[in-house]
Amino acid sequence: MQLTIKQMLDGLDKGDFSASELTQSALDNAEQAKKLNIYSYIAEDSARKNASQSDERRKTGKAGKIDGIPLAHKDLFAINGMDTQAASKILSGFKPPYTATVIDRLEQAGSITIGKLNQDEFAMGSANKNSCYGNVANPWRANGNHAISSDTDLIPGGSSGGSSASVAMRAIPAATGSDTGGSIRQPAALTGTVGIKPTYGRCSRYGMVAFASSLDQASILARTVWDGALLLEIMCGHDARDMTTSRKAVPNFHGAFGQSIKGLKIGVAQEYFPDNLDGEIKQNCQQAQELLQQAGAEIVPISLKMTEYALPAYYVIAPAEASGNLSRYDGVRYGHRTADDVDTLDEMYRKTRAEGFGDEVKRRILIGTYVLSAGYYDAYFLKAQKVRRLILQDFGQAFTQCDVILAPTTPNAAEPIATFGLDPVQAYLSDIFTVPASMAGLPALSVPSGLNQDGLPLGVQFIGQHFDEPRLLQVADIFESEIGFTAQPQGIICRKGLSADGE
Ligand code: GLN
């Protein structure tokens, strides 16, 4: 599927193809995507049925904003009657009797759900290696000219690894994901796709399996900023079923597209460019700055002193919240229960949780329980909360000097699956540049910004002010058109599409 959503909507309007044809093509692609272990569930029958209803609506002039557009959703979004496990064995067999608000809004606008996408278990991870379905491979391969051989399987990033890989291989034009500390932006950067996280409170978390509730946000991975903005705007807005959603009106996310960025101030903080940062990443961001300057923006040096403390504080707060959220999986209310004979209720809980959770999830529960325990609460959890407040203040100060901040998305490009994260602390460092915006609840996104020497995609990150998505998206859109990133994965890719010439 080489077409973007914008092009698909145009083609549907003109009658070049039908929603049923698009859906069939997305279902064929989902089969191909099995080679990379992308889908956890394919909703063949309901997708076909919904597509033919979409065709009817278009015929009678009742088409919604994205009627007939095929989408796929990260496994952690509840969809009525559809397997929803957040890639955890502990939720095996769980079919929710309701649909997550953000998915419901996309479906109400006419999108066709093709299926559920693989991810890291409970969204904990940066490589999609922590999944009960097995890992996902990145459709990108190294060019073999440099450090990595061209037949090495690479990580697609995580935790939204199925989402990033499916969009990168053109199996689907866009996919939902969730971002707690970088799980949309980091996989987007590693797969040459666009990944957006909105302001905390823009998107409802109702029906999204919880990881760390004060950080979790639903959002989108797409091929273009325009497509991402379209879908995100549909997903956003107050929801009476999630009291943390904002009542602020959702503006037109395309509102500032096409307007010049002349005079706009782009902040660059030296703390995001430490001495030991990979030279190619540094150079890539430098090039991004130059492009934006040519487009009329002003580059302003800023300082974000708390940056180095964001990651350690995140790895206290996120596990603490996770340990509470995951206490509900007890073998009684959902999914898996131990088949062993047990004498006591406690033993049943223990065995169920020991069997049902993977290693990384157990590690987080242990850390989270520890930092919340009576003797350590003040030293770790409370301290981390204070650091979080200082990070927020840091950004507040920076935004008195600039409109949008530019930073790397990741410290490096996609790494081999086999060697990534053998040391868990090393794996946590993948989030070093994405976590600060999450801690401050700021909107942020990653846009493809070029290839490294291995021929692998890199991304730059833009961070905006609270509820200022239109400005953030405007800058990203201009950057995207200036950089003109057209490279495609050399590995498996769905070439069959439905362009007007039948390609
Ligand atoms: N990789 C980070 C973690 O493992 C972020 C995950 C996320 O954003 N869901 O916690």
Side-chain angles (χ1 to χ4, degrees), residues 401-424:
Q401 296 165 265
C402 65
D403 301 291
V404 168
I405 295 169
L406 181 151
T409 309
T410 56
N412 34 38
E415 294 170 59
I417 293 177
T419 50
F420 180 88
L422 296 179
D423 170 4

Side-chain angles (χ1 to χ4, degrees), residues 14 32 39 41 139-140 162 217 239 334 357 363 367 373 387 411:
K14 288 200 200 122
Q32 262 208 67
Y39 277 86
Y41 180 83
W140 287 85
Q217 273 297 288
D239 177 12
Y334 308 88
F357 291 133
R363 190 174 297 123
I367 296 172
S373 61
V387 169

